[in-house]
Amino acid sequence: MFAFRQRLIALLAVAVSSLGVSTNMNAQASKSATEYPDSRVDIYGGYGYFHPINSGVGSKQYFDITNPNATISVTGYFNRYIGVAIEGGYFSGEREHAVYNPNCVGEGCSQLVYTAQAGPVLRWPLGAWIPFLHTLGGGSRYNGPVDQPLTWGWGVTGGGGLDYTAPFFHKHVAVRIIQADWQYSQVVYGPLVLPEAVRGGFGEMSAMKLSGGVVVKLGEITPPKALDVGC
């Protein structure tokens, strides 16, 4: 009888100890899940570099842009991983077209690129670090390498990046360390004027766009409740 009581007390002690460990682990898991909450909406503003790759009209090539520019996007997330982004871009050069037309004046003398696109986003929250991929499509507006005016066409973008959530401001601010995109677009300027190809033509641009900046993180996605299974 005495031995049975000892075994019963030992079993009860093990059960209480296991319950305490389980409770502690659940508390730590909950803390880890909420330490860097998953945002519902991300608003990004960045500065970058635009580099056309073997692109132009006829023999005239488009130019790199590092002058005043901006990339702005708003991304809404359906859950922890999947969302939809709307992104706009503006890149402004400085008298690049003077290489082909030394007498150019005004806005038409500089390489200008505008984009307005939207598409799906996939992110992988890893605590403070958040890598992501996106695919966008929509409008693209840019002028030619010589005297072609600003004209709307279509374009697509594919790429990704990496955000780091800052430990201050209640973790609602992140730094976008890098966003690297490949952009492809087409614009029709009208009949090509030969032999110099300074007006008209078909513009086809493949370009690399790099940017970095700040992300404001709004809202919070509530994680699904754990499933409790009892006997």
Side-chain angles (χ1 to χ4, degrees), residues 41-151:
V41 176
D42 287 354
I43 302 174
Y44 167 63
Y47 190 89
Y49 167 67
F50 192 86
H51 173 61
I53 302 171
N54 297 326
S55 302
V57 177
S59 61
K60 308 298 192 296
Q61 296 291 298
Y62 293 112
F63 296 88
D64 293 1
I65 304 176
T66 56
N67 258 27
N69 64 80
T71 299
I72 299 173
S73 67
V74 178
T75 305
Y77 287 95
F78 304 112
N79 54 42
R80 193 180 187 204
Y81 303 102
I82 300 173
V84 173
I86 299 174
E87 181 180 285
Y90 164 71
F91 284 82
S92 168
E94 184 178 4
R95 289 189 58 81
E96 292 88 356
H97 297 174
V99 172
Y100 298 129
N101 181 9
N103 298 319
C104 66
V105 294
E107 185 181 69
C109 200
S110 301
Q111 183 69 65
L112 303 173
V113 177
Y114 300 82
T115 57
Q117 301 179 348
V121 179
L122 179 64
R123 67 178 176 181
W124 296 273
L126 302 171
W129 300 93
I130 307 174
F132 67 92
L133 295 173
H134 61 192
T135 301
L136 311 173
S140 186
R141 181 176 184 243
Y142 50 91
N143 54 359
V146 192
D147 288 334
Q148 290 86 354
L150 277 169
T151 305

Side-chain angles (χ1 to χ4, degrees), residues 17-30:
S17 177
S18 299
L19 180 62
V21 170
S22 176
T23 302
N24 186 50
M25 289 178 65
N26 288 336
Q28 289 181 352
S30 299

